[in-house]
Amino acid sequence: MNSYKAPLRDIRFALFDVIGADRLYARLGIETASRDLVDAVLEEAARFTETVLAPLNAAGDEHGCGFDPASGEVRTPPGFRDAYAQYVEAGWAGLTAPEAMGGQALPESLGAAVKEMIDAACLSWGNYPLLSHGATELLKQYGEDWQKEAFLRPIVEGRWTGTMCLTEPHCGSDLGLLKTKAEPQADGSYTVTGTKIFITGGEHDLADNIVHLVLARLPDAPPGTKGISLFIVPKFKVGRDGRAGERNAVRCGSIEHKMGIHGSVTCVMNFDGAQGWLIGQPNKGLNAMFTMMNTARLAVGIQGLALADRAWQNALAYSRERLQGRAAGGPRYPDKPADPLIVHPDIRRMLLTCKALVEGGRMLALHAATQVDIAERSQDREERERAEALLGFLTPITKGMLTEWGNECAYHALQCFGGHGYIREWGMEQLARDARITTIYEGTTGIQALDLLGRKTLQQQAAGLQLFLGMVREFCKENSENAALAEFVLPLAEAARQWGELTMELGQKASASGEELGAAAVDYLFYSGYVALAYWWARAVAAAEAGDHPAGFKAAKRETARFYFGRLLPRTQAHAAAIRSGAGNLMDLEPGLFDS
Amino acid sequence: MNSYKAPLRDIRFALFDVIGADRLYARLGIETASRDLVDAVLEEAARFTETVLAPLNAAGDEHGCGFDPASGEVRTPPGFRDAYAQYVEAGWAGLTAPEAMGGQALPESLGAAVKEMIDAACLSWGNYPLLSHGATELLKQYGEDWQKEAFLRPIVEGRWTGTMCLTEPHCGSDLGLLKTKAEPQADGSYTVTGTKIFITGGEHDLADNIVHLVLARLPDAPPGTKGISLFIVPKFKVGRDGRAGERNAVRCGSIEHKMGIHGSVTCVMNFDGAQGWLIGQPNKGLNAMFTMMNTARLAVGIQGLALADRAWQNALAYSRERLQGRAAGGPRYPDKPADPLIVHPDIRRMLLTCKALVEGGRMLALHAATQVDIAERSQDREERERAEALLGFLTPITKGMLTEWGNECAYHALQCFGGHGYIREWGMEQLARDARITTIYEGTTGIQALDLLGRKTLQQQAAGLQLFLGMVREFCKENSENAALAEFVLPLAEAARQWGELTMELGQKASASGEELGAAAVDYLFYSGYVALAYWWARAVAAAEAGDHPAGFKAAKRETARFYFGRLLPRTQAHAAAIRSGAGNLMDLEPGLFDS
């Protein structure tokens, strides 16, 4: 009952009309990424996701993954294996991977658009390639040559998949506590021993081998986060010759029963003296893992966007079909027993909230992904550094806000269905359950907020913020005489001004007390997200007006922007007030008195 | 892993210290409701819910209800039947029911406090008695004498249960579309034919008979909502002698598979010429049903409160135990490997949001329930009318906001658990799934909002609002010289002033265009909820200061109020801005252009 149609028109609008990705690709010299080829990739991705993946979504939820305690093996839901084979056959696994490893070296921003379609079609399935993509980035950057040949090439070919093994039973966000140990061996390898939990794709039946990227401590490692190293631990042992041999001493001990993403297996992984290879420098494992985590964070942000899009597509279709009540101004369809839901203002409020957050979030995410392309490919070092700073700033906003908005949109979209939204057969409740993980894994919203306000802003003299504010100011200046945009440019300029002001205030407060940063962080993240979206919506109106689009399309962009500025942007004022209220109202109550 | 402890201290504080229910009961002459007896009832309810119901919650979710298509019979989850027998044996079924029918005639506000505990312990189980309670109110008010004897008495005794049969496949919120037919018979009964869906407790194995209260149309009924009558249709036929006889032609056709509340069965009910009895006047069935619906709406509001309370209790316990990270100002527990979660400002933000909404929501709900007591029992007609107006105004706020807050609190509480919150064994995800229905059934949040702003405010010259604002003004005046309360009284007075102003503005706009009402309604509901809660939090601080409480308790109330005023009340500004932005940004986009 729950369907998916890839939003090709809006993806193209965001990528080309608003962001200008085609011009960027040309400037970066990505010759394969011609407009024609990019279009063809998008269309083929739409076909694959709509016809192969989307039909797996409900069954994947219903069946979940099977686990055999005797063998430690995992069986993915019906159809997952076949879809993965088609994915590999069509070359999707190597879409953005280096040509030297057999990849197609297409832009990451194109990969992000493809990823949105994959996740909207079947998020649970999408988690398997997601982690391969992260492992690719990590191996590309930190792997020795033999490691790239031995591990990266089969991942790029899709024959093997990757995992990230960070969390342990007693440590999630606080990785400094981790206990898994690695002992050096005479042949240059290490034996890895410990238990990792919440390992997505830790065991499955889609590929021939699984490459675990495992955080562990060397014998002489200092305590805390400065004593963590990173190891490659394959399911089947791999020597320097790249050949996979006998079974390694790593095994899935059990799988989790979760609220959602039932088709995406979540494993307890037991490493029992498993053979592993150090990747990167000793005790610098967290730095290397951050490469993978940043990639994964953008990807999880896109998951939030994807689920929001699927939820709202279905809510829109239902709201057009379901007849219930009459329009306030009198029957709109007097020949029918009632008017469709979409005549009601509050249904429109929910639908437009989704539309504004989905289409706005898409511009935010795709623009962030273009910064990966610039950071990796620009010939100009300063431009690369600017792109990295901007990407670092936009990653927690994209991850944090697109996943929070994903949950909000799933909520509104389910609500449009009334009681039917709560019934499994309509598929809306699955989207809400699936969305709920996205604000948790790869760093909770609270962790994203600390990253944004602490590491990416206050510790870096707000370099990323200044770059983004520079874009805002430039846009506002360019359009200062544009009467058609004045209704957006003026409030955007004001919101951006306040953004800078709040940041300054927080910088001063945080230097006086460390608690002020943590007390303001999540509200600052939300504030930032809403202002960033205001910028993208203003640009969307400008791009729609400037482009060769039907009048209806232009009207839809303008009306949605009006809705956004009128009804969602004011949320910034609640967040600004919360930020300015200070840490005292959070910190003064003794822990023992919370349940008084 | 998920536990429940009845919040007796805070229930007593709300009921006695803040609301003064004991003085009210004495004034209303409810002699049985002495402070001692009320205390004893609360304690016994705590024991029953903590020890009998709470252990059923996880298993009820896991097992769900069984349905036998051959017999049409439903099997409730393990333990539900036994718990119901204990409930009946202890006399809970008749707690607030009339003495003439075998009830104890205790106040509805005490019943509301008991209900909170039942729902927090096991919401799915609580749905069976909930509908009996609604049926009791309806039969009490509209039943003929023989109907009371025949149907009400066994419900009060708990031997039978009730249902509300409103929704049909093609009509939920829009009851004017309903098609179920009732044909008069020679013996004064009717044959009822039609299909009802989403019938909570439509079939089960807890009681000997089930009394369906069914909306249907008489043969000569006018179309729309003015042609709807109400019928009593028991599972086993009941004649005027009150004896249950042969099986009636009503049968459960299937049960729904839902996101949550798996232990609460949701039935498709087929009426196939079933024997029924008219209750109330022909074609006035909706008026009668509103009695039941208003009772049920308050009850569903309390469900939201209950789930929020259980969720936050568990989040608090976890946040005190789970060690993760260090406090910003340096280790708080240097001898442990890390500090507990509760040292982190953002964890506190989530916990305090729950605490403020739960304890605030409790005062709001219990106060609304006292208006039922006044409306039913006061000797003074004017006082009864005032109570009814205030109750009518507070019912959509209680239902709408406590369920929205219930979802919000379940969200934050799950988030405190990180990845563990998403795993079934911790029970947090069940609370989130269960909570999701509460903003839908008994009228969605959008329907509550239209009821509040349209029917209860603009159509009644804001009578209910004026009564509530009168309470606010009186409190502010009484405390205008109280320096200890100034930090709350001043912003409360300002918020109340703006509430009146917004209402006036909306009255003017809505008279010009019907769409303005619908466009503002949900934001107006939220605005109202936050200001109402500000009033209760200010009163809580005043009551804590005035009462004989430990210093820690007083501090907790004051700090939570500070948190509320500093970080949650400012949400009103986002809602006020959305309200004032007008209907245009919702209504101007053509339905066909939403997916442009």
Side-chain angles (χ1 to χ4, degrees):
Chain A
M1 303 285 266
N2 195 283
S3 64
Y4 176 62
K5 180 104 183 92
L8 283 185
R9 174 148 80 165
D10 201 62
I11 288 175
R12 286 195 179 107
F13 174 72
L15 212 46
F16 303 128
D17 291 69
V18 182
I19 298 170
D22 43 354
R23 297 187 299 279
L24 173 68
Y25 300 158
R27 185 163 68 73
L28 293 174
I30 317 176
E31 288 167 14
T32 50
S34 67
R35 172 73 196 243
D36 281 355
L37 186 120
V38 168
D39 268 332
V41 169
L42 291 173
E43 272 166 36
E44 186 51 26
R47 195 202 60 76
F48 176 72
T49 55
E50 289 171 1
T51 62
V52 178
L53 295 183
L56 303 179
N57 199 44
D61 182 61
E62 198 64 28
H63 288 270
C65 292
F67 175 65
D68 177 11
S71 66
E73 284 176 6
V74 165
R75 199 179 54 252
T76 57
F80 272 42
R81 209 176 129 81
D82 181 54
Y84 187 75
Q86 290 186 53
Y87 173 86
V88 170
E89 174 68 28
W92 290 113
L95 188 71
T96 60
E99 280 179 292
M101 290 293 126
Q104 297 175 61
L106 283 165
E108 287 293 336
S109 42
L110 174 59
V114 171
K115 177 150 185 51
E116 186 201 319
M117 297 186 235
I118 290 174
D119 292 335
C122 188
L123 180 69
S124 284
W125 186 92
N127 262 347
Y128 298 94
L130 181 158
L131 288 156
S132 293
H133 179 238
T136 300
E137 290 301 302
L138 195 156
L139 284 159
K140 194 168 83 178
Q141 196 170 338
Y142 291 93
E144 297 170 28
D145 286 346
W146 78 268
Q147 291 173 334
K148 289 183 191 169
E149 280 300 327
F151 297 103
L152 181 50
R153 187 176 289 280
I155 289 176
V156 169
E157 290 171 356
R159 292 187 292 115
W160 299 1
T161 64
T163 78
M164 298 168 67
C165 297
L166 288 74
T167 303
E168 299 182 6
H170 57 287
C171 70
S173 301
D174 184 0
L175 289 170
L177 300 175
L178 73 82
K179 294 178 181 170
T180 297
K181 285 196 161 11
E183 300 271 351
Q185 303 297 306
D187 65 354
S189 72
Y190 294 78
T191 56
V192 177
T193 303
T195 298
K196 295 287 181 177
I197 65 168
F198 297 164
I199 307 308
T200 301
E203 178 59 72
H204 59 75
D205 56 4
L206 302 183
D208 298 336
N209 201 358
I210 301 174
V211 180
H212 303 289
L213 290 155
V214 185
L215 292 180
R217 289 186 189 283
L218 291 168
D220 57 351
T225 54
K226 289 177 181 155
I228 298 175
S229 305
L230 182 62
F231 299 88
I232 309 173
V233 185
K235 175 178 170 184
F236 290 95
K237 286 186 190 174
V238 176
R240 289 174 187 271
D241 61 0
R243 290 173 58 182
E246 63 183 7
R247 192 71 166 76
N248 206 348
V250 49
R251 191 185 153 105
C252 174
S254 60
I255 69 174
E256 304 291 352
H257 300 279
K258 306 187 297 295
M259 183 181 193
I261 56 165
H262 294 161
S264 168
V265 73
T266 306
C267 302
V268 173
M269 296 304 296
N270 297 316
F271 296 84
D272 190 16
Q275 185 187 69
W277 303 96
L278 181 70
I279 175 167
Q281 297 299 307
N283 300 331
K284 302 276 186 197
L286 224 43
N287 290 357
M289 192 52 107
F290 260 109
T291 307
M292 189 162 179
M293 257 194 284
N294 281 331
T295 303
R297 284 176 175 182
L298 273 186
V300 173
I302 289 169
Q303 294 186 341
L305 167 65
L307 291 173
D309 186 41
R310 182 165 185 162
W312 116 266
Q313 285 187 15
N314 283 276
L316 176 59
Y318 189 81
S319 301
R320 282 170 167 164
E321 284 164 20
R322 172 82 171 172
L323 306 179
Q324 205 76 183
R326 287 296 186 188
R332 209 64 64 86
Y333 298 84
D335 52 322
K336 293 189 176 173
D339 287 336
L341 285 178
I342 200 169
V343 304
H344 302 304
D346 195 57
I347 293 285
R348 288 171 158 260
R349 182 186 63 83
M350 296 190 281
L351 292 174
L352 284 166
T353 301
C354 294
K355 183 175 170 68
L357 297 179
V358 166
E359 296 177 5
R362 184 173 289 132
M363 295 182 275
L364 177 59
L366 291 177
H367 170 257
T370 59
Q371 302 309 302
V372 182
D373 294 322
I374 298 171
E376 288 188 349
R377 312 215 198 200
S378 171
Q379 302 296 319
D380 175 351
R381 185 178 146 187
E382 272 185 36
E383 188 187 24
R384 287 199 306 274
E385 286 173 358
R386 278 200 307 274
E388 260 163 35
L390 190 53
L391 175 63
F393 178 74
L394 292 175
T395 296
I397 296 177
T398 305
K399 199 286 184 183
M401 295 313 298
L402 266 59
T403 60
E404 292 287 346
W405 289 331
N407 277 276
E408 181 178 346
C409 293
Y411 189 90
H412 293 312
L414 191 158
Q415 193 75 10
C416 289
F417 281 73
H420 297 277
Y422 200 66
I423 304 296
R424 286 206 198 141
E425 66 181 296
W426 288 87
M428 299 305 290
E429 61 90 34
Q430 182 194 342
L431 297 176
R433 285 186 289 106
D434 286 356
R436 189 64 189 86
I437 190 58
T438 61
T439 60
I440 299 172
Y441 64 10
E442 303 307 337
T444 62
T445 302
I447 294 291
Q448 303 305 320
L450 289 176
D451 182 45
L452 174 68
L453 181 55
R455 187 191 300 243
K456 302 293 174 54
T457 302
L458 301 184
Q459 288 175 32
Q460 296 183 17
Q461 290 75 48
L465 173 65
Q466 289 310 331
L467 287 166
F468 195 86
L469 286 178
M471 290 164 54
V472 175
R473 276 189 219 105
E474 193 184 324
F475 173 82
C476 291
K477 201 174 154 192
E478 278 169 15
N479 291 283
S480 61
E481 310 282 303
N482 186 342
L485 284 182
E487 62 182 306
F488 309 119
V489 166
L490 296 177
L492 171 62
E494 169 54 22
R497 189 199 59 72
Q498 194 187 39
W499 197 4
E501 190 177 276
L502 280 168
T503 310
M504 293 261 287
E505 290 171 22
L506 281 172
Q508 284 160 10
K509 275 205 224 173
S511 64
S513 151
E515 284 165 349
E516 291 288 347
L517 194 161
V522 165
D523 283 296
Y524 184 81
L525 170 67
F526 276 73
Y527 186 96
S528 302
Y530 286 112
V531 182
L533 227 59
Y535 168 73
W536 288 113
W537 269 109
R539 282 204 45 182
V541 176
E545 293 295 341
D548 180 22
H549 300 287
F553 182 86
K554 294 183 184 194
K557 289 297 180 197
R558 176 174 292 274
E559 291 304 329
T560 309
R562 280 183 177 150
F563 168 83
Y564 182 80
F565 276 80
R567 290 183 178 255
L568 300 185
L569 185 58
R571 294 180 181 180
T572 49
Q573 295 321 298
H575 294 296
I579 289 168
R580 285 177 166 149
S581 77
N585 60 32
L586 291 182
M587 304 311 295
D588 289 349
L589 187 60
E590 287 300 312
L593 294 177
F594 271 64
D595 45 4
S596 276
Chain B
M1 302 287 264
N2 196 282
S3 64
Y4 175 62
K5 180 104 183 90
L8 283 185
R9 175 150 79 166
D10 201 63
I11 288 176
R12 285 195 180 107
F13 174 71
L15 212 46
F16 304 129
D17 291 70
V18 182
I19 298 169
D22 42 353
R23 297 187 300 279
L24 174 69
Y25 300 158
R27 187 163 68 72
L28 294 174
I30 318 176
E31 287 167 14
T32 50
S34 66
R35 172 74 196 241
D36 281 354
L37 186 119
V38 169
D39 268 331
V41 168
L42 291 173
E43 271 166 36
E44 186 51 27
R47 194 202 60 77
F48 176 71
T49 55
E50 289 171 1
T51 62
V52 178
L53 295 183
L56 302 179
N57 199 44
D61 182 61
E62 197 64 28
H63 288 270
C65 292
F67 175 64
D68 177 10
S71 65
E73 285 177 5
V74 165
R75 200 179 54 254
T76 56
F80 271 43
R81 206 176 135 80
D82 180 54
Y84 187 76
Q86 290 185 52
Y87 173 87
V88 170
E89 174 68 28
W92 289 113
L95 188 71
T96 61
E99 279 179 293
M101 289 294 128
Q104 296 174 62
L106 283 165
E108 288 293 336
S109 43
L110 174 58
V114 171
K115 176 148 184 55
E116 184 201 318
M117 296 186 237
I118 289 173
D119 292 336
C122 188
L123 179 70
S124 283
W125 187 93
N127 262 347
Y128 299 93
L130 181 158
L131 288 156
S132 292
H133 180 238
T136 299
E137 289 302 302
L138 196 156
L139 285 158
K140 194 168 83 178
Q141 197 172 336
Y142 290 93
E144 298 170 27
D145 286 346
W146 79 267
Q147 291 174 334
K148 289 184 192 170
E149 279 300 329
F151 297 102
L152 181 50
R153 187 175 289 280
I155 289 176
V156 169
E157 290 171 356
R159 292 188 291 114
W160 299 0
T161 64
T163 78
M164 299 169 67
C165 296
L166 288 73
T167 303
E168 299 182 6
H170 56 286
C171 69
S173 301
D174 184 0
L175 288 169
L177 300 174
L178 73 80
K179 293 178 181 170
T180 298
K181 286 197 158 15
E183 299 271 350
Q185 304 297 308
D187 65 355
S189 73
Y190 294 77
T191 56
V192 176
T193 303
T195 298
K196 296 287 182 177
I197 65 168
F198 297 164
I199 308 307
T200 301
E203 179 58 72
H204 59 74
D205 56 4
L206 303 183
D208 297 336
N209 202 358
I210 301 173
V211 179
H212 302 290
L213 291 156
V214 185
L215 293 180
R217 289 186 189 282
L218 291 168
D220 56 353
T225 54
K226 288 176 181 158
I228 298 175
S229 305
L230 183 62
F231 299 87
I232 310 173
V233 185
K235 175 178 171 184
F236 290 95
K237 286 185 188 172
V238 176
R240 289 173 187 274
D241 61 0
R243 289 172 59 182
E246 62 185 6
R247 193 69 165 76
N248 205 349
V250 49
R251 190 184 154 106
C252 175
S254 62
I255 68 174
E256 304 290 353
H257 300 279
K258 307 188 297 294
M259 183 180 193
I261 57 165
H262 295 161
S264 168
V265 74
T266 305
C267 302
V268 173
M269 295 304 296
N270 297 316
F271 296 84
D272 190 16
Q275 185 186 70
W277 303 95
L278 180 71
I279 176 167
Q281 298 297 308
N283 300 332
K284 302 276 188 196
L286 224 43
N287 291 356
M289 193 53 107
F290 260 110
T291 307
M292 190 162 179
M293 259 194 284
N294 281 330
T295 302
R297 283 176 175 183
L298 274 186
V300 173
I302 289 169
Q303 293 186 341
L305 167 64
L307 291 173
D309 186 40
R310 183 165 184 162
W312 115 265
Q313 285 188 15
N314 282 276
L316 176 60
Y318 188 80
S319 302
R320 282 171 168 163
E321 284 163 20
R322 172 82 171 172
L323 305 179
Q324 205 76 184
R326 288 294 186 188
R332 209 64 64 84
Y333 298 84
D335 51 321
K336 294 189 175 171
D339 287 335
L341 286 177
I342 200 168
V343 304
H344 301 303
D346 194 58
I347 293 286
R348 289 171 157 258
R349 182 186 62 84
M350 296 190 281
L351 292 174
L352 284 167
T353 301
C354 294
K355 183 175 171 68
L357 297 179
V358 166
E359 296 177 6
R362 184 172 289 132
M363 295 182 274
L364 177 59
L366 291 177
H367 170 257
T370 59
Q371 301 310 303
V372 182
D373 294 322
I374 298 170
E376 288 188 349
R377 311 216 199 200
S378 171
Q379 302 296 317
D380 176 351
R381 187 179 145 187
E382 274 184 35
E383 189 187 23
R384 287 200 306 274
E385 286 173 358
R386 278 199 308 274
E388 261 163 34
L390 190 52
L391 176 63
F393 178 74
L394 293 175
T395 297
I397 297 176
T398 304
K399 199 286 184 183
M401 294 313 299
L402 266 59
T403 60
E404 292 287 346
W405 289 331
N407 278 276
E408 181 177 348
C409 292
Y411 189 90
H412 293 313
L414 190 158
Q415 194 75 8
C416 289
F417 280 73
H420 297 277
Y422 200 66
I423 303 297
R424 285 206 198 140
E425 66 181 296
W426 288 89
M428 299 306 290
E429 61 89 34
Q430 182 193 343
L431 298 176
R433 284 186 288 106
D434 286 356
R436 189 64 189 86
I437 190 59
T438 61
T439 60
I440 298 173
Y441 64 11
E442 303 307 337
T444 61
T445 302
I447 294 291
Q448 304 305 320
L450 290 176
D451 182 46
L452 174 68
L453 181 55
R455 187 190 300 244
K456 302 293 175 53
T457 302
L458 301 185
Q459 288 175 30
Q460 295 184 17
Q461 290 74 48
L465 173 65
Q466 289 311 331
L467 287 166
F468 195 86
L469 285 177
M471 290 164 54
V472 175
R473 277 188 219 105
E474 192 184 323
F475 173 82
C476 290
K477 200 173 153 192
E478 278 170 14
N479 291 283
S480 61
E481 310 281 303
N482 186 341
L485 283 182
E487 62 182 304
F488 309 118
V489 166
L490 297 176
L492 171 62
E494 170 54 23
R497 189 198 60 71
Q498 195 188 36
W499 198 4
E501 191 178 276
L502 280 168
T503 310
M504 293 262 287
E505 290 171 22
L506 281 173
Q508 286 160 9
K509 274 206 225 173
S511 65
S513 152
E515 284 164 349
E516 291 288 348
L517 193 160
V522 164
D523 283 295
Y524 184 81
L525 170 68
F526 276 72
Y527 186 95
S528 303
Y530 286 112
V531 182
L533 227 60
Y535 167 73
W536 287 114
W537 268 109
R539 282 203 46 183
V541 176
E545 292 295 343
D548 181 22
H549 300 287
F553 182 85
K554 295 183 183 192
K557 290 297 180 197
R558 176 173 293 273
E559 291 304 328
T560 310
R562 280 183 177 150
F563 168 83
Y564 181 80
F565 277 79
R567 291 183 177 254
L568 300 185
L569 185 59
R571 294 179 180 180
T572 49
Q573 295 321 297
H575 294 296
I579 290 169
R580 286 177 166 150
S581 77
N585 60 31
L586 291 182
M587 304 311 295
D588 289 349
L589 187 60
E590 287 301 313
L593 295 177
F594 272 64
D595 46 4
S596 277

